[in-house]
Amino acid sequence: MGRRKETITYPSGTFSTSMSAGNASGMGLEFASQGSDEGQQQQHYRPRVSYYMREQAGNFHYGKQHPMKPHRLTLTNHLVLNYGLHKYMDVYEPRRATEEEICEFHSEDYIDFLKRVTPENQDQLATCFADFNIGDDCPIFDGMWDFSQIYSGASIEAARKLVSGSTDIAINWMGGLHHAKKYEPSGYYPRILYVDIDIHHGDGVQEAFYTTDRVMTCSFHKYNGDFFPGTGAIDEMGSGLGKFYAVNVPLQDGIDDRSYTQLFKTVMTAVMETFKPSAVVLQCGADSLGLDRLGVFNLSIAAHGECVKFMRRFGVPLLVLGGGGYTVRNVARCWTYETGIVCGAELPKDLPQTVYNEFFGPDYSLHPQISGKIVNHNTKAYLNALTARILEQLRYLKGAPSVQMHEAPPDIQGFLESQENHDKDTKDDRNKDVKEDRSGRREHVAEFYESDHDQDDG
């Protein structure tokens, strides 16, 4: 498939494409038919969708050996445009967040450091690295303060539009970097629900709201005590006023489409009925897809998107964010597909032509085969016990009488104990594949690499 020249313009406040071939009719976009359940729901719910992006966001570079590639944003935006989805959204080029806005959460010392540090002067500021968790995973790169302002500003603008009632669903694929803390990088409604389907635990968001009952956090992630960031155990439930308002769904390697979507729908139905949020923030980290460079799940793009589709059906104001995702071509496919879901569009499986066609070969499909490559260690017994434990937590949140809470129910505790010897036997094998950064945090060797397949230039 040959390249085709594209011209994209970015007028103030919005962006558009000059390509007539990328319109909805040209790509054969369809909306769910009236006869289907989904079609009937979409007939009654046609949300106003806003989409946030800045051209510069895809041009930042964490370093040759770092797995995070902001260029995935460029690929996503080109697919979104050439599928014609911009015709069904209000598309904005948001302003940058101000220093004052960012300091409403992050410390002034940390912000001052981000503004001052550059690759050229980093040696002079190296004494601050330990304080701000700077290292291989969070490197110094050109424009890091600018990048922070860009993606933060987009999320702030999206949230304000939701609050004002001028949009129903807002999409910011630049956002969702969920590991950020008050002093560290890493990633107004009365009741906010934060849902995270990244393979890594949403530790930064959980920490930020761990002691409040105004925000509930719900994270679906891999957890074994060692996998980054090492948090997200089932008994991390919140503290003080926030007791029981942190919901963690710790999963094992290899979970498949059916198990994941069934678990997600069961848990989220109970969460929505119990918490009754005024708005939902959905973090759609794509490293939970099969074949992700840092991931160990078996999810297809369709299953990942099913989670977005399910949350959309509630009709609650929704902020959709990006997050992790380190196989660039699949991240772009996934977020494009989910943009279509938000718009209520069924996208053709054949990708539209863009100047980045070579990323998507040899199949050039929206739904490549990426699942089923890892053994599923999530047994039916484990998932049943996990579900029962979470539903018990939520029932307690309601104040239902005669419900006694346990730190871990017998089924879960028994499962963990039965795995203790197995974990001990495999610990040495895991240690072969991890290293410590200069702050002592353990990281998998796959997080830093250099190879011909790195797609560092693409």
Side-chain angles (χ1 to χ4, degrees):
M1 298 177 69
R3 293 189 178 188
R4 194 164 50 151
K5 185 176 180 181
E6 293 173 286
T7 302
I8 300 178
T9 58
Y10 295 83
S12 177
T14 64
F15 77 83
S16 61
T17 176
S18 62
M19 291 190 64
S20 60
N23 60 37
S25 59
M27 281 307 301
L29 292 192
E30 297 180 358
F31 291 82
S33 63
Q34 184 173 347
S36 66
D37 291 341
E38 178 70 10
Q40 291 175 2
Q41 290 176 14
Q42 289 180 359
Q43 272 196 323
H44 293 92
Y45 182 53
R46 289 291 188 185
R48 296 163 297 168
V49 180
S50 57
Y51 187 90
Y52 299 82
M53 67 87 60
R54 285 184 69 105
E55 182 180 15
Q56 308 98 302
N59 298 334
F60 292 95
H61 197 269
Y62 280 56
K64 188 172 184 179
Q65 293 183 308
H66 200 284
M68 176 63 85
K69 310 292 183 185
H71 188 60
R72 62 194 184 150
L73 299 168
T74 300
L75 268 66
T76 301
N77 292 326
H78 276 255
L79 288 178
V80 166
L81 286 168
N82 285 285
Y83 264 124
L85 289 171
H86 60 286
K87 292 179 174 290
Y88 304 97
M89 306 183 290
D90 295 321
V91 187
Y92 298 92
E93 185 179 44
R95 64 172 179 79
R96 297 167 184 244
T98 66
E99 180 178 346
E100 291 74 19
E101 287 171 330
I102 296 177
C103 281
E104 288 183 10
F105 175 70
H106 294 288
S107 71
E108 292 185 6
D109 289 346
Y110 173 46
I111 298 307
D112 181 64
F113 171 79
L114 290 181
K115 291 169 58 181
R116 290 188 297 127
V117 70
T118 66
E120 291 71 31
N121 69 11
Q122 62 178 320
D123 290 342
Q124 303 169 28
L125 299 173
T127 55
C128 302
F129 284 9
D131 294 336
F132 301 125
N133 195 33
I134 300 299
D136 287 338
D137 190 41
C138 298
I140 304 301
F141 60 90
D142 282 325
M144 61 188 303
W145 171 240
D146 291 337
F147 187 43
S148 301
Q149 287 184 294
I150 287 171
Y151 68 72
S152 298
S155 291
I156 291 171
E157 285 297 296
R160 286 176 174 167
K161 280 207 170 289
L162 287 167
V163 169
S164 69
S166 57
T167 194
D168 300 307
I169 303 178
I171 304 172
N172 174 26
W173 295 127
M174 296 179 286
L177 305 182
H178 58 173
H179 299 303
K181 309 267 185 17
K182 190 175 183 68
Y183 299 93
E184 303 173 4
S186 210
Y188 194 74
Y189 281 95
R191 296 170 71 83
I192 306 296
L193 171 63
Y194 172 82
V195 184
D196 193 318
I197 58 174
D198 195 291
I199 198 171
H200 300 96
H201 178 234
D203 58 330
V205 181
Q206 176 178 284
E207 180 180 295
F209 301 107
Y210 206 62
T211 59
T212 179
D213 59 359
R214 306 301 291 273
V215 176
M216 174 174 276
T217 60
C218 185
S219 178
F220 296 76
H221 52 269
K222 173 180 166 63
Y223 176 80
N224 63 2
D226 286 332
F227 191 74
F228 182 82
T231 54
I234 196 168
D235 58 356
E236 295 176 26
M237 296 183 290
S239 178
L241 289 176
K243 186 69 171 177
F244 308 122
Y245 285 86
V247 177
N248 282 296
V249 187
L251 300 168
Q252 310 298 315
D253 290 4
I255 193 164
D256 57 27
D257 287 359
R258 182 177 180 181
S259 298
Y260 191 95
T261 55
Q262 181 176 337
L263 177 66
F264 182 86
K265 291 177 181 180
T266 300
V267 170
M268 294 317 304
T269 297
V271 166
M272 294 295 286
E273 290 176 352
T274 302
F275 186 60
K276 296 180 173 60
S278 305
V280 175
V281 178
L282 178 58
Q283 197 267 21
C284 299
D287 47 7
S288 48
L289 293 174
L291 298 186
D292 186 83
R293 291 179 177 180
L294 303 189
V296 290
F297 286 174
N298 280 323
L299 298 187
S300 66
I301 289 172
H304 198 275
E306 185 64 26
C307 298
V308 178
K309 186 182 297 184
F310 188 74
M311 296 309 299
R312 178 186 185 274
R313 291 172 182 165
F314 288 101
V316 174
L318 178 64
L319 174 57
V320 180
L321 303 175
Y326 307 97
T327 301
V328 172
R329 58 188 179 274
N330 292 337
V331 176
R333 287 170 162 128
C334 182
W335 290 348
T336 299
Y337 176 64
E338 290 171 351
T339 302
I341 287 173
V342 168
C343 293
E346 297 178 4
L347 304 183
K349 67 177 182 179
D350 294 331
L351 294 175
Q353 290 195 20
T354 74
V355 294
Y356 299 105
N357 284 337
E358 67 272 15
F359 275 82
F360 305 107
D363 58 295
Y364 305 99
S365 171
L366 185 61
H367 294 281
Q369 178 60 42
I370 59 175
S371 59
K373 305 297 184 181
I374 299 177
V375 175
N376 186 359
H377 293 284
N378 298 271
T379 65
K380 183 176 181 180
Y382 176 79
L383 294 176
N384 287 342
L386 180 62
T387 302
R389 168 63 181 80
I390 293 168
L391 296 181
E392 183 184 19
Q393 175 181 338
L394 294 173
R395 287 196 299 270
Y396 188 82
L397 195 65
K398 285 183 177 180
S402 71
V403 175
Q404 182 179 2
M405 287 298 297
H406 307 279
E407 288 303 312
D411 287 343
I412 285 288
Q413 190 62 42
F415 175 83
L416 295 176
E417 288 174 356
S418 70
Q419 291 294 299
E420 184 175 353
N421 291 334
H422 173 73
D423 292 343
K424 184 176 181 181
D425 290 340
T426 58
K427 186 174 182 180
D428 289 340
D429 290 337
R430 287 200 305 267
N431 287 341
K432 292 177 183 177
D433 294 331
V434 298
K435 65 178 182 178
E436 293 186 356
D437 66 13
R438 66 188 78 184
S439 66
R441 186 174 59 188
R442 295 162 64 83
E443 296 159 335
H444 197 278
V445 295
E447 296 189 10
F448 310 100
Y449 49 83
E450 182 176 2
S451 75
D452 293 336
H453 303 289
D454 190 42
Q455 291 188 348
D456 189 68
D457 298 324

